[in-house]
Amino acid sequence: MPGATPAPAGVTETGRICEEILMNVTPRETRVAIVENGVLQEIYIERTRRRGLVGNVYKGRVVRVLPGMEAAFVDIGLERAAFLHVSDIQTCETLTGEHGPGERRPPEITDLVREGQELLVQVVKDPLGTKGARLTTHVTIPSRYLVYLPGSDAVGVSVKIEDETERARLKGIISEYRAEFGGGYIARTAGEGATAPALRADMQFLQRLWTSIRERAREARPGTVVHEDLPLTLRVLRDFVGGKVDKVRVDSNETYERMEQFAGRYVPEMLPKLEHYPGERPIFDLYGIEDELARALDKRVQLKSGGYLIIDQTEAMTTIDVNTGGYVGHRNLEETIFKTNLEAALAIARQLRLRNLGGIIIIDFIDMQSTEHRLAVFKALEKALERDHAKSNVCEVSALGLVEMTRKRTRESLEHVLCEPCPLCSGRGTVKTAETVCYEIFREILRNARQYEAAREFLVLAATEVVDLMLDEESASVAELEAFIGTPLRFQAEVLYPREQYDVVLL
């Protein structure tokens, strides 16, 4: 019925995960939510002014070569120069060493690039914080079934395709057609079961696209983009949609029509799963996603048992602390700790995906005496991370209950996308107490009194709570200070001043 508001889907059958993709489109922002069994797992946000750069191909110019870092900085037209490491520069050669042709050495950065040189590069990691984008000259172009490697002759198959017969079939087809088209190819997960004509059509499309990119690169000026990846709404159909997705719902009719055309041409099996959501209630509100996003910005994550997580994101790493909180269990302390850690492992895997936390991650589980319990928690964490699209590497639980892991980071975390450092605390996360500010003002007055002995009066402008404290609990200290410097003090509350701001004015 048009305009109706259907309920979120749950588990369709025992043990089966029902996965839906929801799209909320506004004029300058697109948000895509991955929902499993009605619970938000991942969120992708693309804004017109700040679209992700991963996959884009640029014509860049080397602006600086740093032999000590084995890297170069390349201007691709962004605010900050991008970073290109020697390992990301395409070369299949080793160079002769100083002692003659018998000695071979890996190429150094100065052997491969020079300042002012123009390069065709691809972004593999978005700018993060104060760091520029990460580049590679190993350009890869994805399509529906394949990834094209222009500078290679390799043939590979996604590790997620486990059937050896199917892997051999795909390799055989690609190898046969590769003689016609050239280059290297990797069969994507979506290529499982693809017919030979479909794979050939993909290879032909990729060849045409690569030829077009090279022609644009020859004519383009350094610092310009020569190929942009698909917008988020279409990348979802290309990258995230497979046989496990039950439905893709989008609340914009214009976007739905564009996706329908794209699916009809490239992924026709997805047409029955595409759905335009016309309901009056916002689609994200229907699934409780707005509330989940608000909670995903909190440091504290409440567990159903009564325990909780504390997640601290820093520049270098993310730390996650597990606490029992109000959960007291029913049997003994060890069992209580084990159940809390087990629940925390599942919650942590979800939070990593939801918040898009990457880099080094340290998890402080509650200390467990039992080796079996530590192993069970570790296995539960590994199992929960299997559905994560980002690659992760997890080390076993240490004797201190710590788990060290890494998660691949190619885009900014949810916090960095939605938030900025607090202007009051400058990102510290804390502000000085009113009492601390009072004593800072006292010291400032003393400094000024010694420097300007002819002052008739000092006027102190400060936040209301600071002035109230001075005139109440600290009134005796104010009187002593006035007697010591021999100059009267006057206080004026400024309602627009944050707690830490104040001014001492000489009159």
Side-chain angles (χ1 to χ4, degrees):
M1 180 177 179
T5 303
V11 183
T12 55
E13 56 189 69
T14 305
R16 181 178 180 274
I17 294 177
C18 175
E19 184 174 347
E20 293 184 77
I21 296 179
L22 313 175
M23 298 188 186
N24 170 232
V25 182
T26 52
R28 301 185 67 83
E29 181 185 66
T30 299
R31 299 185 298 172
V32 173
I34 311 296
V35 177
E36 295 176 1
N37 296 344
V39 179
L40 176 65
Q41 299 293 331
E42 291 185 63
I43 187 79
Y44 296 84
I45 299 174
E46 183 174 272
R47 292 170 176 168
T48 305
R49 291 176 54 193
R50 198 177 180 182
R51 184 176 167 182
L53 306 177
V54 173
N56 288 359
V57 179
Y58 291 83
K59 186 174 184 179
R61 175 185 283 128
V62 179
V63 293
R64 193 177 180 192
V65 178
L66 302 174
M69 294 179 62
E70 286 294 304
F73 285 98
V74 183
D75 177 18
I76 58 173
L78 303 180
E79 183 180 346
R80 290 186 297 273
F83 182 81
L84 176 65
H85 190 262
V86 67
S87 61
D88 293 316
I89 300 177
Q90 184 169 323
T91 176
C92 56
E93 299 177 357
T94 56
L95 304 181
T96 303
E98 296 179 359
H99 303 291
E103 180 189 340
R104 311 293 281 178
R105 64 179 176 84
E108 298 178 357
I109 189 70
T110 51
D111 299 323
L112 303 176
V113 297
R114 65 183 185 280
E115 291 188 12
Q117 182 179 350
E118 296 178 1
L119 296 172
L120 190 65
V121 291
Q122 186 173 40
V123 177
V124 294
K125 185 181 291 187
D126 279 331
L128 300 170
T130 58
K131 299 177 182 177
R134 179 79 181 253
L135 303 177
T136 182
T137 62
H138 300 270
V139 177
T140 59
I141 310 295
S143 64
R144 171 58 178 152
Y145 300 122
L146 302 169
V147 176
Y148 178 48
L149 315 173
S152 172
D153 57 1
V155 175
V157 178
S158 169
V159 295
K160 292 186 178 179
I161 300 178
E162 298 177 353
D163 184 85
E164 290 299 329
T165 304
E166 177 63 9
R167 292 177 65 87
R169 185 188 74 89
L170 289 171
K171 277 189 176 182
I173 295 172
I174 295 171
S175 298
E176 180 183 349
Y177 290 132
R178 197 187 69 79
E180 176 185 352
F181 295 107
Y185 296 88
I186 298 174
R188 307 182 67 184
T189 308
E192 187 171 10
T195 63
L199 292 170
R200 187 183 185 281
D202 245 22
M203 296 171 80
Q204 193 172 39
F205 164 76
L206 288 167
Q207 279 293 321
R208 290 173 181 167
L209 179 58
W210 176 237
T211 300
S212 173
I213 290 172
R214 286 192 300 175
E215 289 175 355
R216 286 198 296 270
R218 278 196 294 267
E219 300 172 0
R221 299 176 60 184
T224 57
V225 60
V226 295
H227 171 70
E228 280 190 286
D229 203 2
L230 295 171
L232 179 59
T233 51
L234 302 184
R235 286 205 310 273
V236 165
L237 291 179
R238 184 192 70 190
D239 297 339
F240 296 99
V241 173
K244 297 180 181 178
V245 174
D246 295 87
K247 193 174 294 183
V248 180
R249 310 177 74 185
V250 56
D251 61 4
S252 164
N253 189 52
E254 181 182 348
T255 302
Y256 169 74
E257 291 177 355
R258 188 160 61 246
M259 293 176 67
E260 193 176 36
Q261 293 174 1
F262 181 86
R265 182 175 180 181
Y266 297 107
V267 279
E269 68 272 25
M270 286 309 302
L271 279 172
K273 299 180 180 181
L274 272 175
E275 178 183 307
H276 173 233
Y277 171 74
E280 295 180 1
R281 187 181 177 190
I283 190 170
F284 273 25
D285 287 354
L286 177 66
Y287 285 74
I289 291 173
E290 299 292 2
D291 294 336
E292 286 288 346
L293 287 177
R295 284 193 288 269
L297 298 176
D298 290 339
K299 291 176 62 174
R300 180 171 173 142
V301 178
Q302 194 67 40
L303 303 178
K304 291 182 179 179
S305 64
Y308 61 92
L309 311 175
I310 298 293
I311 301 177
D312 272 313
Q313 186 179 347
T314 68
E315 183 73 19
M317 68 177 67
T318 298
T319 61
I320 303 176
D321 184 33
V322 182
N323 299 276
T324 55
Y327 180 54
V328 295
H330 301 288
R331 297 180 63 183
N332 54 55
L333 179 61
E334 179 67 17
E335 193 68 22
T336 300
I337 290 173
F338 173 59
K339 288 187 176 180
T340 303
N341 283 338
L342 210 55
E343 183 185 5
L346 304 180
I348 288 168
R350 175 174 176 262
Q351 291 297 323
L352 294 180
R353 293 177 63 186
L354 179 56
R355 299 174 187 236
N356 192 32
L357 299 173
I360 300 172
I361 300 163
I362 305 295
I363 306 171
D364 184 11
F365 285 106
I366 307 169
D367 290 346
M368 293 172 285
Q369 301 298 321
S370 169
T371 304
E372 290 183 3
H373 286 174
R374 286 200 294 267
L375 183 60
V377 169
F378 174 75
K379 293 296 184 184
L381 179 62
E382 276 194 323
K383 181 71 175 176
L385 288 169
E386 286 180 359
R387 295 188 62 80
D388 193 349
H389 294 103
K391 184 180 179 181
S392 59
N393 181 33
V394 188
C395 300
E396 292 187 4
V397 183
S398 71
L400 298 176
L402 297 177
V403 169
E404 300 173 14
M405 65 171 290
T406 59
R407 183 173 182 269
K408 188 175 181 181
R409 175 170 56 186
T410 58
R411 55 193 175 94
E412 291 190 324
S413 68
L414 184 66
E415 180 183 291
H416 286 159
V417 171
L418 299 180
C419 306
E420 63 182 8
C422 170
L424 300 183
C425 69
S426 301
R428 292 198 315 266
T430 58
V431 293
K432 296 175 182 176
T433 64
E435 186 179 29
T436 299
V437 178
C438 282
Y439 297 148
E440 284 187 3
I441 293 173
F442 289 161
R443 289 191 292 271
E444 182 67 17
I445 291 171
L446 282 170
R447 278 193 291 270
N448 282 278
R450 294 189 183 103
Q451 189 173 357
Y452 305 100
E453 296 180 359
R456 293 174 300 170
E457 183 182 43
F458 287 106
L459 172 63
V460 177
L461 307 176
T464 302
E465 58 183 321
V466 175
V467 172
D468 290 345
L469 185 63
M470 283 190 166
L471 298 179
D472 187 11
E473 296 179 23
E474 298 293 336
S475 57
S477 301
V478 171
E480 288 179 15
L481 183 59
E482 282 183 319
F484 180 76
I485 64 175
T487 305
L489 303 175
R490 183 155 59 91
F491 299 92
Q492 180 175 315
E494 295 290 337
V495 294
L496 297 180
Y497 274 29
R499 184 188 294 173
E500 294 187 10
Q501 182 180 348
Y502 62 85
D503 292 295
V504 177
V505 183
L506 281 67
L507 299 177

